[in-house]
Amino acid sequence: MSPKSVPEGIWADQPFKLLDTPGKDKPLSDPVVYVASHMALVHNTFIRALNSIYLHAPLIAPGNKSLARDMLTYCQCWVALVALHHQAEENFLFSAFEKRIPAAKGILATNVRQHDEFHSGLDAFKKYVEIALAGGEPYCSEKLLKLVDAFSEPLMKHFADEIPTLMRMQEAGQIEEVMKIHEEFEVIVRKDIDASKVGPMTLLNADKTFEGGKHPFPVMPKFVPYLIKYLVSRKYAGAWKFGSCDYWGQPVTLFMNTPEGKQALKAGNE
């Protein structure tokens, strides 16, 4: 994909495949179905954002300093979002399930081990992005995507595998405890959040129309999207053009296929 090629009609549901939720054909009133579906929706937010990186990055020439910096910032915010999620899993979620639901012991073992399979790749991606943003290395889309390719396979496998694992909590019983642990996990994530990075990145890649719009994700008071759009998003304002949705969860045309985006790519790449 050369810097001058702008694929028409594609969206952030590719190249990495979005996950179906258990709630697609099961009642969300079941706590385990709800928790597993919520996790799939969280993972899909990460996947759409990574897809938007994968689709936009090759179109930005090294000399297009403004767009390159915005893309690197977007990548930095994506890393912050994924790291926050996985740290909360490692520090609380996985151990809480095993300690408080004895019959669940061992169910999550594979998912815990999978974190080790992509950590080094994510760290290398983060390091390159930070160095490039600091001016220590030039923007290079080939290197950026090569780093993504190094961790994407184990990361996508982990995202997919975690959903059926959570559904196995039905075998362990104590399904109400599953919901309590999930709620505590959400509190921990919100407590440690860097809102200026994570808030916009989440909203701008959370498709509320997914699977017919049956999933209220992310769940928040109605005023919060306004707060994030008009206040919280200012710090990294240039990055958010690459999001796949608006602040209210409606899919939007990807930046590279908008008139504004085509002009910015053309002007900066010449």
Side-chain angles (χ1 to χ4, degrees):
M1 191 183 293
S2 71
K4 293 184 178 179
S5 66
V6 182
E8 296 285 353
I10 65 172
W11 191 65
D13 53 357
Q14 57 180 288
F16 303 112
K17 189 177 182 297
L18 297 175
L19 308 175
D20 291 338
T21 73
K24 182 178 181 179
D25 51 20
K26 293 182 175 65
L28 288 168
S29 55
D30 181 311
V32 174
V33 173
Y34 178 87
V35 169
S37 296
H38 185 276
M39 187 65 77
L41 296 170
V42 170
H43 289 175
N44 279 346
T45 300
F46 303 159
I47 294 169
R48 290 187 197 97
L50 187 60
N51 281 340
S52 65
I53 291 169
Y54 214 90
L55 294 169
H56 283 102
L59 304 178
I60 302 171
N64 196 333
K65 303 296 185 183
S66 178
L67 282 186
R69 183 166 188 83
D70 289 342
M71 170 51 62
L72 289 167
T73 302
Y74 188 77
C75 291
Q76 186 181 54
C77 294
W78 180 82
V79 170
L81 176 61
V82 174
L84 171 69
H85 177 78
H86 286 143
Q87 285 164 9
E89 284 187 335
E90 292 171 3
N91 295 337
F92 172 75
L93 186 67
F94 293 150
S95 59
F97 278 132
E98 293 212 339
K99 288 176 182 176
R100 291 162 56 177
I101 306 176
K105 191 169 182 62
I107 287 179
L108 288 157
T110 297
N111 305 99
V112 173
R113 288 195 300 271
Q114 285 176 336
H115 278 208
D116 294 332
E117 296 173 6
F118 56 77
H119 270 176
S120 61
L122 274 177
D123 287 344
F125 178 75
K126 178 184 178 183
K127 183 177 180 180
Y128 167 70
V129 167
E130 290 176 347
I131 291 173
L133 276 171
E137 222 181 305
Y139 173 82
C140 175
S141 63
E142 289 83 1
K143 180 168 184 177
L144 190 75
L145 296 192
K146 186 176 180 180
L147 288 166
V148 172
D149 290 339
F151 66 74
S152 59
E153 184 175 347
L155 182 64
M156 294 302 143
K157 180 173 173 53
H158 172 71
F159 284 160
D161 288 354
E162 202 167 79
I163 311 311
T165 295
L166 288 172
M167 286 298 295
R168 287 186 61 197
M169 289 296 168
Q170 290 178 324
E171 304 169 17
Q174 295 182 255
I175 60 174
E176 296 302 329
E177 191 67 18
V178 171
M179 181 63 83
K180 289 179 183 177
I181 293 170
H182 166 75
E183 290 170 349
E184 292 170 30
F185 172 69
E186 288 292 292
V187 170
I188 290 170
V189 169
R190 287 195 294 270
K191 182 182 68 175
D192 294 334
I193 201 170
D194 180 343
S196 60
K197 290 181 178 178
V198 171
M201 180 60 74
T202 299
L203 290 191
L204 294 175
N205 290 289
D207 176 11
K208 285 186 176 291
T209 71
F210 184 67
E211 293 184 344
K214 69 181 294 185
H215 305 287
F217 175 83
V219 179
M220 57 181 59
K222 290 183 179 180
F223 72 86
V224 172
Y226 292 92
L227 179 67
I228 292 176
K229 179 177 182 180
Y230 294 110
L231 183 62
V232 175
S233 66
R234 290 179 183 176
K235 186 172 182 179
Y236 302 105
W240 309 128
K241 63 173 69 70
F242 300 116
S244 60
C245 300
D246 64 21
Y247 285 89
W248 291 269
Q250 301 303 301
V252 298
T253 301
L254 295 185
F255 175 71
M256 63 187 180
N257 284 334
T258 64
E260 177 191 5
K262 290 178 180 180
Q263 182 58 39
L265 287 166
K266 181 180 178 182
N269 291 352
E270 289 176 345

